[in-house]
Amino acid sequence: MTDTDFISRDRIVADTAHNFFVEAGAGSGKTTMLVNRMVAMVENGIAVDKICAITFTRAAAGEFYDRFQKKLSERAAVPGGMPARRPGALPAATAVSCRRCAEALKNIDLCFLGTIDAFCNLVLREHPARARIPADAAVCPEAEMETFRRREYSRILRGEYGEKLQARGLRFCAFHRAPAKVFAGSIGRVQRARSARIFYEPAPSGTADTLFATEKTALAELLHAVSACPGAVLATNSATRAAQKTAMEKQTVLLGSWEQDLPGVIEALETLAGLRLGCEPAAIGITAEGLFRPVESRGKIKGWEIAPDSSAYPLKRLQELRYAATMDFLCACAGPIAETLRGEGRLTFDDCLLYLRDVLREDAGRDGALLRHIAARHSYFLIDEFQDTDPLQAEIFFYLTAQTPRTDWQACVPRPGSLFIVGDPKQSIYRFRDADVAAFL
């Protein structure tokens, strides 16, 4: 352990009037330091009910509670003894510190020790009107939320959300074999990200048959050539045999109206992409440039295969069109569906984060009265595993600890001693839940 580390640990316990940003690796004892700092805050006269310890999981919160309770019990004993020489250890107990620890032990359940989700839900339930949610609003299990989202999906397709959104929904359906399943599997993630800007290439106007008229002509030429010269196809493996079979059997799908069966067209093109010829394409009447590319081995051309990423082959652009139509619909309906469920009091944990952030930001832009009210109750925040915090959560804590509230959370300066952050960027494991290690760094 270096001198710098020794000094840092001692400051965490001794300097409770300052904010700290601590980077600590696995096994370094950061939980012990968090607990010691909480006890030091109590011994310095901070009421236990004003302390909030935020963890990332309920299991970690339970461990926090047990260790905090045990340390308070130890420190509430008879004063005296010499302070331990270990870095970050608490000083020798005094009669005053013992009394304060004993009082905190009686009121330990008034100290918030839990997850960020639980904390946000608690604050929202205390201020439902400001969050525009019913007083009995509750966080619903994900399976239950999926049922309600599917209900609203059906209402959209019936036109109950308006003709414009209905049209986007029908376009979305046209691209998928099982649109309801795709919707259910995607809408939750889009709703979680609705506070952010989602970038994608918008879908161009027009039907697929109009947008891909040139490619359809080239495809017709290819299918005719393969049908007329089946011996030119190198059917040497399952992929090439499947491609030849598609060229023979899916001509009605590929040469007919694509708008009538977009999923079928995409599936057929995906299989046809495995087609390989044993001669130059031009030799059997295929003239489209870039549609095929040579297959070389040891400097010799062994055949010609379809170039799937070529602009001459429509698969990639058609997949991009499907993605654009899907995102157009999901992004357009995420907000309205969330607002409907918000009015019914059906929330997700991500909703709680978003709605609390919005309430705090709005209050910061007014007079900050609500922020002062909350700060009087929840004054000091110790946040563990901050590397698994997403930017929305970071905003919330900077609003809650701001000396002078500002609408721009990055302009908020925490009150002295109100914020203690600890984490390890090397242990960030919740990217799938939108955790952003940059919020820590």
Side-chain angles (χ1 to χ4, degrees):
M1 187 177 294
T2 66
D3 290 342
T4 300
D5 189 63
F6 192 104
I7 294 169
S8 296
R9 290 173 186 264
D10 281 344
R11 284 195 64 199
I12 287 171
V13 172
D15 201 355
T16 57
H18 284 81
N19 300 310
F20 281 88
F21 181 94
V22 179
E23 181 177 341
S28 61
K30 58 180 181 289
T31 302
T32 296
M33 295 310 306
L34 273 166
V35 171
N36 282 0
R37 182 174 174 87
M38 291 171 67
V39 173
M41 292 167 71
V42 168
E43 293 184 351
N44 286 339
I46 294 175
V48 73
D49 63 348
K50 294 187 181 297
I51 298 173
C52 294
I54 306 295
T55 64
F56 204 79
T57 66
R58 287 192 291 266
E63 180 187 358
F64 240 63
Y65 182 95
D66 292 341
R67 293 177 68 166
F68 185 44
Q69 185 180 49
K70 181 180 178 181
K71 182 62 72 173
L72 286 175
S73 297
E74 293 172 356
R75 301 290 291 182
V78 179
M82 293 294 292
R85 291 185 174 275
R86 293 190 308 275
L90 291 160
T94 66
V96 173
S97 69
C98 286
R99 185 176 69 252
R100 287 173 174 169
C101 285
E103 186 66 23
L105 196 58
K106 294 178 185 176
N107 298 315
I108 190 172
D109 289 334
L110 299 180
C111 171
F112 181 87
L113 294 113
T115 65
I116 175 63
D117 297 331
F119 177 78
C120 290
N121 191 31
L122 170 68
V123 176
L124 283 179
R125 289 176 68 86
E126 293 174 349
H127 308 282
R130 294 291 291 269
R132 303 196 318 279
I133 59 175
D136 60 351
V139 173
C140 298
E142 184 57 32
E144 192 174 322
M145 288 300 292
E146 182 176 325
T147 299
F148 293 127
R149 290 177 186 136
R150 283 179 179 268
R151 179 196 68 187
E152 298 311 305
Y153 169 73
S154 297
R155 291 184 60 211
I156 289 172
L157 297 184
R158 291 197 299 268
E160 295 181 33
Y161 276 75
E163 293 182 1
K164 188 174 181 179
L165 193 53
Q166 181 188 36
R168 285 180 167 175
L170 294 175
R171 187 62 174 159
F172 163 80
C173 290
F175 274 99
H176 298 282
R177 286 280 188 216
K181 183 177 180 180
V182 174
F183 172 84
S186 307
I187 188 62
R189 181 63 186 270
V190 175
Q191 285 187 320
R192 284 198 298 273
R194 67 187 186 275
S195 65
R197 294 179 64 188
I198 299 177
F199 294 92
Y200 63 93
E201 194 69 30
S205 59
T207 66
D209 295 287
T210 302
L211 294 169
F212 294 91
T214 301
E215 291 84 348
K216 284 187 69 176
T217 299
L219 195 59
E221 183 182 73
L222 181 154
L223 295 175
H224 175 74
V226 171
S227 297
C229 306
V233 177
L234 292 176
T236 56
N237 55 45
S238 58
T240 53
R241 286 192 291 271
Q244 184 177 35
K245 183 178 180 181
T246 294
M248 299 296 185
E249 299 179 359
K250 296 294 183 179
Q251 293 193 16
T252 301
V253 173
L254 292 171
L255 299 181
S257 172
W258 284 8
E259 285 293 325
Q260 298 301 312
D261 187 10
L262 285 167
V265 172
I266 293 174
E267 290 166 3
L269 288 172
E270 287 172 340
T271 305
L272 187 63
L275 189 69
R276 180 176 289 192
L277 302 177
C279 63
E280 289 192 34
I284 58 173
I286 299 174
T287 61
E289 283 191 32
L291 185 56
F292 281 82
R293 64 190 178 191
V295 179
E296 297 185 8
S297 176
R298 297 181 180 179
K300 295 183 179 181
I301 295 178
K302 298 294 185 179
W304 283 260
E305 63 183 6
I306 285 180
D309 294 333
S310 167
S311 59
Y313 195 65
L315 176 59
K316 183 177 180 181
R317 283 182 55 216
L318 201 54
Q319 290 171 329
E320 290 171 348
L321 184 62
R322 176 178 61 186
Y323 178 78
T326 299
M327 293 305 296
D328 275 346
F329 175 59
L330 293 176
C331 291
C333 72
I337 289 176
E339 283 303 307
T340 295
L341 299 180
R342 180 183 197 167
E344 296 174 353
R346 307 184 196 281
L347 310 178
T348 65
F349 282 123
D350 296 291
D351 290 334
C352 290
L353 291 173
L354 179 60
Y355 299 156
L356 179 57
R357 189 284 306 273
D358 289 347
V359 166
L360 299 180
R361 183 167 62 184
E362 179 182 311
D363 188 66
R366 297 162 69 178
D367 57 2
L370 180 61
L371 283 166
R372 289 192 297 274
H373 173 77
I374 296 174
R377 168 67 180 85
H378 307 288
S379 308
Y380 302 91
F381 294 89
L382 299 95
I383 309 169
D384 194 15
E385 307 294 357
F386 200 76
Q387 75 278 355
D388 288 320
T389 297
D390 67 36
L392 201 62
Q393 296 166 359
E395 288 185 54
I396 288 170
F397 289 116
F398 274 85
Y399 283 130
L400 289 172
T401 59
Q403 290 188 75
T404 304
R406 296 281 188 269
T407 303
D408 179 4
W409 69 276
Q410 292 177 306
C412 293
V413 178
R415 298 181 302 275
S418 65
L419 193 58
F420 181 85
I421 294 170
V422 63
D424 178 9
K426 295 178 182 178
Q427 296 187 69
S428 184
I429 60 173
Y430 283 94
R431 181 73 178 270
F432 70 93
R433 278 203 57 186
D434 302 315
D436 184 358
V437 72
F440 178 84
L441 297 174

